[in-house]
Amino acid sequence: MIAPIPDLLIQPVVAAALAEDLGRAGDVTAQACIEAHARLSTVFAARQNGVVAGLACARLAVLALDPAATFEAMVRDGDEVRPGEVLAKVEANARALLSAERTALNLLGRLSGVATLTRAYVDAVAGTGARIADTRKTTPGLRHLEKYAVRCGGGLNHRFGLDDAILIKDNHVAACGGVGEALKRARAAAGHLMKIEVEVDSLAQLEEALPHRPDVIMLDNFSLEDLRKAVAMTGGGVTLEASGGVNLQTVRGIAETGVQVISVGALTHSASVLDIGLDAV
């Protein structure tokens, strides 16, 4: 079971999204057409196959506008669903529920889309021993939610930000004058709990990095042949992460080279929204 994100961390995102939608005067359509005390029963239902993530976002959007609403989840984040399957049953003030509808669906659909795409990558490498990881290519303000959705899909989280691991990339190497020098400086600055990863773009750079014993080496845009050579060179002594040129057609071949991790920016920057509807019952 995936550990949920505390409501306290989700509420600011939901509040900002609701404020954006409600604008200066609130939902003028609901106010004009629906009696103030009318109640409405609805269901959130899947309209296509996918993996659910973000039910708490939908719940909190409804409760923000009607604290007395009832929200009964019928599935859990991380569950696979089919078209027509009910994700949650909701009963609330009709005005409030319809005003919260789009915010709830936007967040639930977006996160479920990320979880669904992640699951496709995880399934594609099943049995190889490789794990699928995300990147920092996330929607500003939604990173913690999108990375949660990756976990719901069975993926791993890479670093959350610039402050939780040292990741030396090509421009850092250029600024330092070489892979070895960059790693030497990183090792001198890192605390005992801080991991160090370095990106290399050739087998020569990999060879230069190895004496400095980084925790992880990112093999950037390596060919399958060079990925296999890198695995042989390191002999399991360091975690190897493949990155670049990864899609659903190539990921299996990459995994079969023996790398331990494959990072995929597409999980968060290219996931399609999962089609979910709110239907009156």
Side-chain angles (χ1 to χ4, degrees), residues 194-258:
M194 181 69 70
K195 286 199 171 185
I196 299 173
E197 178 173 12
V198 62
E199 176 187 273
V200 299
D201 59 20
S202 67
L203 292 172
Q205 282 193 333
L206 171 61
E207 190 170 10
E208 183 182 354
L210 287 175
H212 298 277
R213 301 178 63 188
D215 299 290
V216 185
I217 298 177
M218 180 188 295
L219 308 172
D220 184 45
N221 283 298
F222 273 43
S223 67
L224 294 182
E225 181 181 357
D226 281 352
L227 286 174
R228 285 189 285 268
K229 289 179 179 178
V231 171
M233 285 174 62
T234 56
V238 60
T239 297
L240 294 179
E241 173 189 336
S243 180
V246 183
N247 56 52
L248 284 171
Q249 288 69 50
T250 63
V251 69
R252 179 80 188 186
I254 293 170
E256 288 175 343
T257 66

Side-chain angles (χ1 to χ4, degrees), residues 17 20 65 74 95 125 129 143 147 158 171 177 188 191 216 219 261 265 274 279:
E20 178 181 59
L65 300 187
M74 308 305 293
R95 286 186 180 179
V125 302
R143 179 172 296 169
K147 282 181 171 283
H158 213 287
N171 286 332
V216 185
L219 308 172
V261 179
L274 188 69
D279 303 315

Side-chain angles (χ1 to χ4, degrees), residues 5 110-111 114 134 137-140 142-151 157 268-269:
I5 298 178
R110 167 65 182 157
L111 298 181
V114 170
D134 56 26
K137 296 175 182 178
T138 54
T139 307
L142 294 184
R143 179 172 296 169
H144 64 302
L145 293 176
E146 291 178 347
K147 282 181 171 283
Y148 167 73
V150 167
R151 299 197 300 276
N157 291 146
T268 51
H269 72 56

Side-chain angles (χ1 to χ4, degrees), residues 8-189:
L8 183 66
L9 299 180
I10 303 173
Q11 285 167 336
V13 174
V14 171
L18 286 170
E20 178 181 59
D21 216 17
L22 292 170
R24 295 167 296 176
D27 185 349
V28 295
T29 307
Q31 293 169 24
C33 299
I34 301 172
E35 294 181 358
H37 300 292
R39 307 293 293 180
L40 185 64
S41 294
T42 62
V43 295
F44 286 93
R47 292 177 176 165
Q48 63 184 122
N49 293 322
V51 178
V52 177
L55 285 166
C57 296
R59 172 175 55 82
L60 291 172
V62 174
L63 291 175
L65 300 187
D66 179 8
T70 60
F71 186 102
E72 182 184 4
M74 308 305 293
V75 297
R76 298 185 301 184
D77 284 350
D79 285 351
E80 294 187 10
V81 295
R82 298 178 178 179
E85 189 166 351
V86 173
L87 311 185
K89 298 178 180 179
V90 184
E91 195 276 338
N93 175 274
R95 286 186 180 179
L97 181 51
L98 295 180
S99 296
E101 175 182 2
R102 180 43 51 198
T103 291
L105 289 172
N106 281 350
L107 290 169
L108 181 58
R110 167 65 182 157
L111 298 181
S112 296
V114 170
T116 299
L117 183 58
T118 301
R119 183 67 55 83
Y121 275 90
V122 170
D123 288 347
V125 302
T128 65
R131 300 291 302 275
I132 299 296
D134 56 26
T135 70
R136 285 168 43 244
K137 296 175 182 178
T138 54
T139 307
L142 294 184
R143 179 172 296 169
H144 64 302
L145 293 176
E146 291 178 347
K147 282 181 171 283
Y148 167 73
V150 167
R151 299 197 300 276
C152 289
L156 298 174
N157 291 146
H158 213 287
R159 58 178 180 163
F160 270 73
L162 296 171
D163 61 340
D164 57 331
I166 293 175
L167 175 46
I168 302 166
K169 295 182 71 68
D170 54 351
N171 286 332
H172 298 104
V173 170
C176 290
V179 168
E181 180 62 24
L183 282 168
K184 186 192 306 182
R185 296 180 190 183
R187 184 63 68 192

